[in-house]
Amino acid sequence: MNEALLRSLTPSVLGILVRRGADFAAAEDAVQDALVEAVRVWPADQPRDPKGWLVTVAWRRFLDATRADAARRRREDLVDGEPAPGPAPTADDTLQLYFLCAHPSLTPSSAVALTLRAVGGLTTRQIAQAYLVPEATMAQRISRAKRTVSDVRFDQPGDVATVLRVLYLVFNEGYSGDVDLAAEAIRLTRQLAAAIDHPEVAGLLALMLLHHARRATRIAPDGSLVPLAEQDRGRWDTESIAEGVEILQAALARDRLGEFQAQAAVAALHADAATAEETDWVQIVEWYDELLRLTDSPVVRLNRAVAVGEADGPRAGLAALAALNDSLPRHAAVAAYLHERDGDLATAARLYAEAAHKAPNLAERDYLTRQAARLNAHRRR
């Protein structure tokens, strides 16, 4: 199979779909689906007109996705426009769709990816970034999930753990500011908490509320990123913090610790500190140790390195960081911060610039660029 041919044809096919009226993001997803299909079909039967074949398949995928989205919107409009008789239901169609997309025939990771794409409204690129995998890999995973469920009945809902993972990723994407989905994720998690007595559902709701309480202070009026240590804590939503802490305490009292409860405990310790200097970093390190026992996640190890640097000094943090792969997202930013605290301004400036180059969004890129410029200017004095 000629992969170079596929790569060379991709921009042209994408341009044709856009000229036909497809928006760029939808056209990208349709072309990705067509490329995956080509990888599957062409080794046995490559078409005489590869470009025409890709355009046809991509356009059909775009139309299918557009029709499905339009149908979903019509169903939602009908639900909104027609009052239901009797008491209001405890869950709406959206939460039911989350459960149905978490189908038992799918692996948990494939179910999460499919739900984020089909119901959560995230693009393939955003999902790939959340999973720390290349976009092409995620496109193939979603396509495989679609094929797996294409001939099955959606009458077997998936498990709670998969739905919680989806809601968590949807909230994180909304919290980043790229897509405004955080409030919707909280709404659905509230519904789930009302319907299911599960400590991890409560843990996730507490985590969302504690993070959302700080959202108004994360971005300055000029659009620049404000790190946690510099946020105006007087503007944090104290009602959301109090609710989150109360929900978390009730969940922890059941002695069935899960990763969302542990993450919420870290967020609660940040929320409890009147100033950044009063943060109980020793206890935060202990909660990250609990998280590692539950997940062994490289992202958790990265966050733990920061906490160790605050609790035991920057050199201890750098020692913890040395055990991690430097290709991890935000690895360079963490290394820059710890080197700056250790007094190595030249290394810190270089790493801030490197981190800015890899930043996933404009606000983070600008912040890291300013940090590099600040240190370089200080060194020239």
Side-chain angles (χ1 to χ4, degrees):
M1 230 272 308
N2 193 335
E3 294 183 2
L5 175 62
L6 281 178
R7 287 195 297 270
S8 68
L9 290 175
T10 298
S12 177
V13 174
L14 182 60
I16 290 172
L17 263 63
V18 171
R19 287 195 295 274
R20 285 187 178 184
D23 69 82
F24 188 81
E28 266 192 315
D29 289 339
V31 172
Q32 288 290 341
D33 284 351
L35 293 174
V36 171
E37 186 69 7
V39 170
R40 186 179 71 85
V41 172
W42 285 13
D45 183 22
Q46 181 165 325
R48 284 178 292 181
D49 180 9
K51 180 178 177 180
W53 188 96
L54 286 171
V55 169
T56 300
V57 173
W59 185 249
R60 286 174 181 168
R61 296 297 171 90
F62 165 72
L63 291 177
D64 289 343
T66 301
R67 289 174 186 136
D69 188 59
R72 179 178 63 82
R73 286 199 301 270
R74 284 196 298 271
R75 288 196 303 271
E76 291 173 349
D77 290 342
L78 287 173
V79 170
D80 291 339
E82 182 178 350
T90 57
D92 64 13
D93 286 345
T94 306
L95 190 56
Q96 292 171 12
L97 285 172
Y98 272 67
F99 271 96
L100 291 175
C101 283
H103 197 274
S105 64
L106 297 171
T107 63
S109 61
S110 294
V112 171
L114 177 62
T115 313
L116 290 171
R117 185 72 187 91
V119 187
L122 274 65
T123 67
T124 303
R125 179 173 299 167
Q126 289 166 330
I127 301 169
Q129 289 173 345
Y131 269 88
L132 310 180
V133 299
E135 185 176 353
T137 300
M138 183 53 65
Q140 292 175 359
R141 184 179 301 178
I142 293 172
S143 294
R144 284 195 300 268
K146 289 177 181 177
R147 288 197 298 273
T148 299
V149 300
S150 61
D151 296 322
V152 301
R153 289 176 57 83
F154 279 85
D155 55 1
Q156 295 178 274
D159 66 344
V160 174
T162 301
V163 174
L164 288 179
R165 176 63 52 191
V166 175
L167 289 169
Y168 174 65
L169 291 174
V170 170
F171 176 81
N172 277 348
E173 197 58 51
Y175 191 64
S176 74
D178 296 329
V179 180
D180 190 13
L181 295 169
E184 173 68 359
I186 291 174
R187 183 183 73 84
L188 292 173
T189 307
R190 282 191 187 280
Q191 287 188 355
L192 190 58
I196 299 176
D197 183 20
H198 192 297
E200 272 294 82
V201 177
L204 178 59
L205 179 56
L207 176 64
M208 289 179 175
L209 290 170
L210 289 163
H211 278 309
H212 206 59
R214 305 198 303 256
R215 187 175 186 182
T217 63
R218 294 182 70 246
I219 303 295
D222 63 359
S224 60
L225 187 68
V226 182
L228 176 61
E230 299 173 19
Q231 289 173 16
D232 181 357
R233 298 178 181 229
R235 294 178 56 214
W236 286 359
D237 183 347
T238 54
E239 289 186 7
S240 291
I241 291 173
E243 182 185 5
V245 169
E246 182 180 358
I247 292 170
L248 173 63
Q249 288 174 339
L252 291 175
R254 301 178 65 175
D255 199 23
R256 289 168 55 194
L257 184 64
E259 63 173 297
F260 293 123
Q261 295 169 71
Q263 287 190 56
V266 171
L269 286 167
H270 283 298
D272 186 55
T275 65
E277 292 73 23
E278 296 175 66
T279 304
D280 189 344
W281 287 106
V282 172
Q283 201 173 161
I284 287 176
V285 172
E286 292 173 355
W287 277 112
Y288 276 129
D289 289 339
E290 292 288 346
L291 261 174
L292 284 176
R293 281 190 280 272
L294 292 166
T295 68
D296 196 27
S297 161
V299 175
V300 172
R301 290 188 180 278
L302 187 68
N303 291 335
R304 181 184 179 277
V306 176
V308 169
E310 298 290 355
D312 300 327
R315 294 196 177 181
L318 287 168
L321 190 65
L324 302 180
N325 191 321
D326 60 9
S327 66
L328 271 173
R330 298 186 172 89
H331 183 284
V334 170
Y337 173 74
L338 291 172
H339 276 291
E340 180 183 357
R341 287 200 57 218
D342 194 39
D344 186 352
L345 302 189
T347 300
R350 175 179 59 78
L351 287 168
Y352 275 129
E354 179 184 326
H357 181 69
K358 299 176 180 178
N361 57 67
L362 184 59
E364 191 169 333
R365 184 183 311 136
D366 288 348
Y367 171 77
L368 292 167
T369 301
R370 285 197 300 272
Q371 294 298 94
R374 173 179 59 82
L375 293 185
N376 285 326
H378 179 78
R379 290 168 56 221
R380 287 194 293 266
R381 289 174 189 166

